[in-house]
Amino acid sequence: MTILSTVQKTSVPVLACLLALPALADEPGGLVTGSFGDQPLELTVAPELSGATIIGNYADASFLAAQMEGDQGPVNLGLTINGELPTPGEIALTITFARDMGRNWSGDQDSLTLALDEIAPGDGIVALRGTLTGQVSGGPASETRPVTFSFDARLGELD
C-alpha cells in the first residue's frame, strides 16, 4: 500500500505539469535562429514587445527578439511585417548590438525576402512562422551583410 500511495502522490504533480504543456505552447513568445554575416544568432521573442493584428487578408505583425549571451553581448532583432497576405509588401528588420552603439543594421522589402510558412490567428494568439533572407546595411562603416533568419513565434493578437 505504501508504494502505491507514494506513486499516486508523486504522479499528481507530474500529471499536472504534463497537462499544462499544451497551454504553454499557446503563450506568446518564440525563437529566431539564423545568421548575421558569418555570425550565428539565436534570439528569444519577447512576448511583451510583440503583437499582431489580422483583418481579412491584411496583417500587421511585429516582434522584438533578444540574445543576451555571446561574444557580441546583448543583441536585439526587431521585425515588422505589414500588408496583404500571403505576401505582405512591407518588411522592416533592425539588428542592434548593445555593446557597440554604432553597430545598428537595418533592411526592408527592397533588400530582404520574406517567406511566410504560417500566419494564423487563434484564441488571442497569432502563430507566425517563416524565413527572412537578404541583406542589411549599417554598422560603423556603412557596410552590407547577408542575413538569414527563421522564426517561429506566437504573438499576442491586438485589437
Side-chain angles (χ1 to χ4, degrees), residues 105-132:
W105 302 79
S106 62
D108 60 19
Q109 63 276 359
D110 294 333
S111 63
L112 299 167
T113 301
L114 175 67
L116 284 177
D117 297 327
E118 178 182 22
I119 184 164
D123 296 328
I125 300 290
V126 175
L128 181 63
R129 268 188 321 111
T131 303
L132 188 66

Side-chain angles (χ1 to χ4, degrees), residues 55-155:
I55 301 172
N57 285 338
Y58 183 83
D60 181 7
S62 65
F63 63 77
L64 180 71
Q67 175 181 309
M68 301 309 287
E69 303 297 322
D71 295 341
Q72 300 297 322
V75 179
N76 293 318
L77 179 146
L79 178 63
T80 301
I81 300 168
N82 283 310
E84 295 289 325
L85 297 174
T87 54
E90 294 181 38
I91 304 165
L93 175 70
T94 58
I95 303 171
T96 306
F97 293 83
R99 286 192 184 163
D100 186 353
M101 296 303 279
R103 294 199 53 207
N104 299 329
W105 302 79
S106 62
D108 60 19
Q109 63 276 359
D110 294 333
S111 63
L112 299 167
T113 301
L114 175 67
L116 284 177
D117 297 327
E118 178 182 22
I119 184 164
D123 296 328
I125 300 290
V126 175
L128 181 63
R129 268 188 321 111
T131 303
L132 188 66
T133 57
Q135 297 184 15
V136 291
S137 300
S142 297
E143 302 170 66
T144 300
R145 295 220 178 134
V147 293
T148 300
F149 291 107
S150 294
F151 50 90
D152 186 355
R154 294 161 313 282
L155 311 177

Side-chain angles (χ1 to χ4, degrees), residues 17-79:
C17 290
L18 290 175
L19 291 174
L21 286 177
L24 293 176
D26 293 331
E27 294 294 317
L31 191 64
V32 178
T33 58
S35 62
F36 167 77
D38 59 358
Q39 177 183 356
L41 293 175
E42 183 173 308
L43 307 105
T44 304
V45 175
E48 61 279 356
L49 299 174
S50 305
T53 300
I54 299 178
I55 301 172
N57 285 338
Y58 183 83
D60 181 7
S62 65
F63 63 77
L64 180 71
Q67 175 181 309
M68 301 309 287
E69 303 297 322
D71 295 341
Q72 300 297 322
V75 179
N76 293 318
L77 179 146
L79 178 63

